[in-house]
């Protein structure tokens, strides 16, 4: 059952087209991830779904309500965590939570079990001003505040940007726990390693979704034959690669160098090995590997740019 | 030869010790990754190294100058770029470069040559009169990096330089970093992307104000018995 339906959504700001003909649906209970660089249009999309910005054209239904005519009903049933503002820094942790609960006319007590896994971590600081919490703690409090009225849909706009890897993992563990309460989550992130935890992912560039799929099928649809080598001369290798003649795609990947061949892999691989020898690049081994999501996204973005 | 020598550097704010007795050296032309959880003290440490904040105790030599006595001279020898602030959005590409050049007292004739050289290198010569807020983020970051090096600093401090760009742009940016390092410029970089930590020659991990781990990515992984830098970070912060 789809809980959000978006048809031909376009948003223009004067000359700039922020969103261009978007079409997608979000299913009840899923975690729908939107990944894309800054400026792709993620926040504009969230503002429209949260009924805070009007679309230029298109039809959008959230929980069977039309966003233009029935925005008041929608607002009662969603929780929204915007990228920038969401807490009152001069109120304490407890005061922030109470404020948000009261605003929605819901009691804290009956909904506390749902936010308990998160609240447990921040309640020791409940008398501290929200502005004095660490970045990770602020995010957790903001999540509690967005959830305290038990929304059916949770909209999270880059909840983990600028947060360190450990706090980011904790945040996603919490999202998994919230799922048990049948909350649908739409979440955006600039981090590739996070999106694998979504049920479906939309890859966004320049106001468009260039792909919408499950992590598994994105990986299954990877076209190239991918190899990884480990070399201490990574940057010498990158420097000489333009001289390599076979059709391929290559890039550094952490301590590895990834190279993907598209045609006649065996031949291309052999000429690559020869190329390495010719330029005296030493490496440990060359391994055939399955792509990770980041490999897939690199391929999809490159393809999109060439069209 | 060292570009950065930090010895027992400490910074206290009232009763709170933000940076606690850190000691390390960074070699000339090295790419040094400065990692740590939020609130570990990275920004405070970096501000001191840039001469923006005086230490409570300890000493440091940055680009050969004493941090406590010669912080003005240090500023001439370093470049700084962060994702949050580096360029003026309502100035053009050319105006931004000129402004930075004037701030750093680069003589006009030299400055014009350098700007032209950089714009050509960046492939931005044709669009030099566009406002910065009209160009894509990936271009802004490359421009910010070039601008931070206009005065030919010995060291460049990069504070999360690649936040918010796609994986291809991120890699393009790192190839610029490597180019600069190969020319002898020391790179001091913070990042939340753990794959980028692998591109550094050495990394340090800070927690609770102290540098707790320091070494090459390979050494540290062996030392902690983990397969990736990501695991290293998680294991380290959770212990």
């Amino acid at each position: 059952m789809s809980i959000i339906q978006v048809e031909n959504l376009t948003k223009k700001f004067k000359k700039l087209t922020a969103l261009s003909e978007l079409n997608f649906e979000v299913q009840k209970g899923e975690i729908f991830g939107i990944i894309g660089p800054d400026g792709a249009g993620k926040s504009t999309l969230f503002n429209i779904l949260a009924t805070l910005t009007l679309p230029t054209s298109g039809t959008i239904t959230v929980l069977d309500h039309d966003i233009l005519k029935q925005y008041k009903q929608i607002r009662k049933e969603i929780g929204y965590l915007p990228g920038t503002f969401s807490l009152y820094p001069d109120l304490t942790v407890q005061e922030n939570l109470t404020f948000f609960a009261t605003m929605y006319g819901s009691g804290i007590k009956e909904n506390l079990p749902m936010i308990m896994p998160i609240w447990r971590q921040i309640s020791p600081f409940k008398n501290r001003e929200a502005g004095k919490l660490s970045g990770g703690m602020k995010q957790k409090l903001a999540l509690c505040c967005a959830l305290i009225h038990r929304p059916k849909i949770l909209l999270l706009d880059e909840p983990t940007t600028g947060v360190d890897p450990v706090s980011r993992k904790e945040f996603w563990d919490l999202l998994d726990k919230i799922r048990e309460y049948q909350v649908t989550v739409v979440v955006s992130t600039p981090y590739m390693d996070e999106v694998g935890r979504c049920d479906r992912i939309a890859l966004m560039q320049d106001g468009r979704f260039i792909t919408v799929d499950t992590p598994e099928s994105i990986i299954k649809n990877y076209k190239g034959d991918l190899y990884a080598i480990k070399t201490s001369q990574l940057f010498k290798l990158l420097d000489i690669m333009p001289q390599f003649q076979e059709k391929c795609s290559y890039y550094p990947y952490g301590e590895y160098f990834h190279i993907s061949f598209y045609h006649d892999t065996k031949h291309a691989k052999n000429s690559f090995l020869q190329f390495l020898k010719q330029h005296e690049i030493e490496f440990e081994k060359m391994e055939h590997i399955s792509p990770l999501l980041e490999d897939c996204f690199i391929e999809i973005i490159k393809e999109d740019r060439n069209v | 030869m060292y570009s950065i020598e930090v010895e027992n550097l400490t910074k206290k704010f009232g009763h709170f010790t933000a940076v606690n007795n850190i000691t390390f050296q960074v070699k000339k032309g090295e790419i040094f990754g400065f990692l740590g959880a939020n609130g570990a003290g990275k920004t405070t440490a970096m501000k001191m190294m840039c001469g923006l904040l005086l230490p409570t105790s300890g000493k440091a030599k940055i680009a050969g100058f004493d941090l406590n006595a010669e912080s003005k001279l240090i500023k001439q020898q370093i470049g700084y770029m962060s994702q949050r602030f580096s360029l003026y959005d309502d100035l053009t590409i050319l105006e931004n470069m000129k402004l930075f050049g004037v701030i750093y007292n680069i003589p006009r004739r030299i400055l014009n040559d350098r700007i032209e050289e950089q714009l050509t290198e960046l492939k931005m010569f044709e669009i030099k009169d566009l406002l910065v807020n009209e160009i894509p983020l990936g271009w802004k970051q490359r421009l910010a990096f070039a601008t931070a090096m206009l005065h030919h600093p010995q060291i460049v401090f990069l504070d999360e330089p690649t936040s918010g760009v796609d994986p291809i742009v991120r890699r393009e940016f790192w190839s610029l970093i490597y180019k600069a390092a190969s020319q002898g410029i020391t790179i001091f970089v913070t990042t939340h992307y753990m794959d980028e930590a692998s591109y550094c020659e050495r990394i340090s991990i800070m927690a609770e104000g102290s540098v707790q781990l320091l070494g090459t990515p390979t050494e540290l992984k062996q030392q902690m018995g983990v397969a990736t830098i990501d695991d290293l970070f998680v294991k380290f912060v959770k212990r």
Side-chain angles (χ1 to χ4, degrees):
Chain A
M1 198 185 100
S2 79
I3 202 162
I4 296 176
Q5 286 138 332
V6 173
E7 278 171 49
N8 300 321
L9 165 59
T10 294
K11 175 69 189 180
K12 289 184 183 168
F13 296 103
K14 291 181 188 163
K15 271 190 285 177
L16 178 86
T17 304
L19 299 173
S20 167
E21 295 281 318
L22 279 188
N23 284 288
F24 67 96
E25 291 187 353
V26 177
Q27 306 300 319
K28 188 170 183 224
E30 77 174 336
I31 297 187
F32 186 83
I34 300 172
I35 181 144
D38 288 359
K42 301 191 297 290
S43 298
T44 305
L45 176 58
F46 274 101
N47 281 336
I48 291 173
L49 293 177
T51 76
L52 300 174
T53 300
L54 290 174
T56 306
S57 61
T59 316
I60 299 117
T61 346
V62 175
L63 293 158
D64 291 324
H65 304 305
D66 182 276
I67 59 150
L68 297 178
K69 298 185 193 109
Q70 297 158 299
Y71 63 91
K72 282 190 179 159
Q73 282 94 316
I74 295 175
R75 287 181 188 174
K76 283 183 198 142
E77 296 180 79
I78 61 167
Y80 176 37
L81 189 58
T84 47
F85 165 83
S86 62
L87 295 169
Y88 293 91
D90 49 353
L91 295 185
T92 65
V93 168
Q94 180 70 55
E95 284 166 347
N96 266 287
L97 190 69
T98 309
F99 175 78
F100 279 90
T102 314
M103 243 188 9
Y104 283 105
S106 66
I108 290 185
K109 257 195 198 132
E110 63 259 37
N111 293 325
L112 206 56
M114 177 174 164
I115 62 163
M116 209 52 205
I118 322 166
W119 182 245
R120 200 178 291 131
Q121 297 178 24
I122 46 176
S123 55
F125 311 102
K126 66 182 176 199
N127 295 322
R128 188 177 291 186
E129 284 175 20
K132 290 181 179 157
L133 294 174
S134 73
M137 286 293 172
K138 267 185 205 155
Q139 286 307 54
K140 283 171 193 161
L141 174 59
L143 188 59
C144 284
C145 292
L147 278 169
I148 193 64
H149 63 293
R150 223 174 158 160
K152 293 185 175 127
I153 300 177
L154 185 59
L155 303 172
L156 304 172
D157 189 7
E158 296 207 14
T160 56
T161 295
V163 177
D164 68 73
V166 173
S167 306
R168 290 204 273 127
K169 282 203 172 77
E170 283 174 4
F171 194 85
W172 279 87
D173 290 342
L174 293 171
L175 283 190
D176 270 341
K177 285 187 183 137
I178 291 163
R179 291 173 90 130
E180 292 162 21
Y181 291 86
Q182 296 287 308
V183 182
T184 305
V185 179
V186 183
V187 54
S188 68
T189 174
Y191 299 108
M192 291 283 156
D193 56 346
E194 291 185 341
V195 285
R197 302 186 64 164
C198 302
D199 296 305
R200 285 192 306 144
I201 311 166
L203 178 59
M204 198 169 189
Q205 292 262 323
D206 307 324
R208 298 167 301 128
F209 283 175
I210 57 178
T211 213
V212 183
D213 217 330
T214 63
E216 297 77 25
S217 10
I218 287 174
I219 287 175
K220 215 177 81 198
N221 291 334
Y222 184 78
K223 290 195 196 76
D225 239 333
L226 185 65
Y227 290 85
I229 66 170
K230 199 172 172 179
T231 169
S232 55
Q233 294 159 289
L234 185 59
F235 285 84
K236 183 186 170 194
L237 179 55
L238 287 171
D239 210 35
I240 58 167
M241 274 311 283
Q243 298 167 38
F244 183 60
Q245 298 294 329
E246 303 287 336
K247 188 175 183 309
C248 66
S249 161
Y250 62 86
Y251 41 86
Y253 200 107
E255 59 188 319
Y256 292 91
F257 174 84
H258 282 189
I259 182 161
S260 193
F261 304 115
Y262 297 95
H263 304 288
D264 197 359
T265 304
K266 212 172 167 186
H267 167 76
K269 188 192 159 194
N270 282 334
S271 39
F272 180 61
L273 286 171
Q274 234 164 20
F275 179 79
L276 292 177
K277 206 171 166 191
Q278 186 194 333
H279 288 89
E280 294 171 347
I281 302 275
E282 282 165 22
F283 62 96
E284 274 177 37
K285 58 182 169 187
M286 181 159 175
E287 238 180 317
H288 192 234
I289 57 165
S290 340
L292 298 170
L293 275 173
E294 185 152 347
D295 294 300
C296 301
F297 286 141
I298 288 175
E299 188 187 53
I300 294 168
I301 295 168
K302 277 188 177 167
E303 224 168 75
D304 180 66
R305 283 189 190 160
N306 290 333
V307 172
Chain B
M1 199 187 120
Y2 295 121
S3 282
I4 300 176
E5 292 170 84
V6 171
E7 214 183 311
N8 304 323
L9 209 57
T10 295
K11 180 72 194 181
K12 289 184 184 169
F13 297 106
H15 293 296
F16 178 67
T17 305
V19 173
N20 188 7
N21 206 23
I22 59 173
T23 299
F24 61 89
Q25 296 88 28
V26 181
K27 280 172 280 188
K28 183 177 184 309
E30 181 172 17
I31 300 178
F32 188 86
F34 198 54
L35 314 183
N38 298 104
K42 297 192 303 287
T43 306
T44 306
M46 217 148 125
K47 276 189 180 161
M48 285 194 281
M49 282 183 265
C50 290
L52 297 173
L53 203 58
L54 278 174
T56 308
S57 62
K59 52 187 181 179
K61 263 194 167 175
I62 310 292
F65 296 108
D66 184 295
L67 182 64
N68 289 302
E70 301 169 302
S71 70
K72 244 188 172 166
L73 294 168
I74 290 175
K75 285 173 199 153
Q76 285 286 338
Q77 296 301 326
I78 61 170
Y80 175 82
M81 172 201 164
S82 88
Q83 138 93 103
R84 273 163 239 107
F85 169 81
S86 272
L87 297 168
Y88 293 92
D89 263 355
D90 47 358
L91 295 182
T92 67
I93 292 174
L94 183 63
E95 285 166 347
N96 264 286
M97 293 189 114
K98 280 192 169 163
L99 175 65
F100 277 78
V102 171
I103 290 171
Y104 279 108
N105 273 326
I106 305 172
R108 183 168 298 168
R109 206 176 308 141
I110 298 176
L111 178 62
N112 287 343
D113 286 350
R114 279 190 198 167
I115 289 178
E116 195 178 319
E117 190 186 313
Q118 284 295 341
L119 286 174
T120 314
E121 173 95 25
L122 291 166
K123 299 193 177 75
M124 289 187 194
F125 196 81
E126 306 290 316
I127 56 158
K128 62 181 188 301
D129 296 321
L130 282 183
L131 292 180
V132 161
N133 68 17
E134 293 172 317
I135 65 174
L137 182 67
W139 294 22
K140 270 190 216 174
Q141 285 176 335
R142 278 183 304 177
L143 176 64
F145 188 52
T147 307
M149 294 200 301
L150 215 49
H151 58 297
H152 290 182
Q154 294 183 40
I155 308 166
V156 181
F157 289 88
L158 303 171
D159 192 4
E160 289 182 39
T162 57
S163 309
V165 297
D166 73 45
I168 298 176
V169 175
R170 216 146 65 71
R171 286 173 170 80
E172 286 167 355
F173 192 84
W174 270 89
S175 66
L176 292 182
I177 293 181
Y178 260 84
K179 203 171 161 202
S182 70
Q183 291 162 355
I185 297 172
T186 307
I187 308 283
F188 192 92
V189 57
T190 71
T191 178
H192 281 318
Y193 293 100
M194 290 300 115
D195 62 325
E196 294 187 345
S198 304
Y199 304 151
C200 300
E201 282 162 77
R202 286 188 306 150
I203 54 175
S204 69
I205 301 186
M206 243 185 126
E208 288 165 15
S210 310
V211 170
Q212 312 253 359
L213 282 180
L214 194 153
T216 68
T218 316
E219 277 167 18
L220 294 185
K221 279 184 291 181
Q222 277 169 359
Q223 190 182 326
M224 298 289 282
V226 292
T228 64
I229 300 283
D230 207 23
D231 295 340
L232 173 76
F233 195 90
V234 171
K235 188 169 176 182
F236 174 75
V237 174
K238 283 203 168 155
R239 76 178 181 186

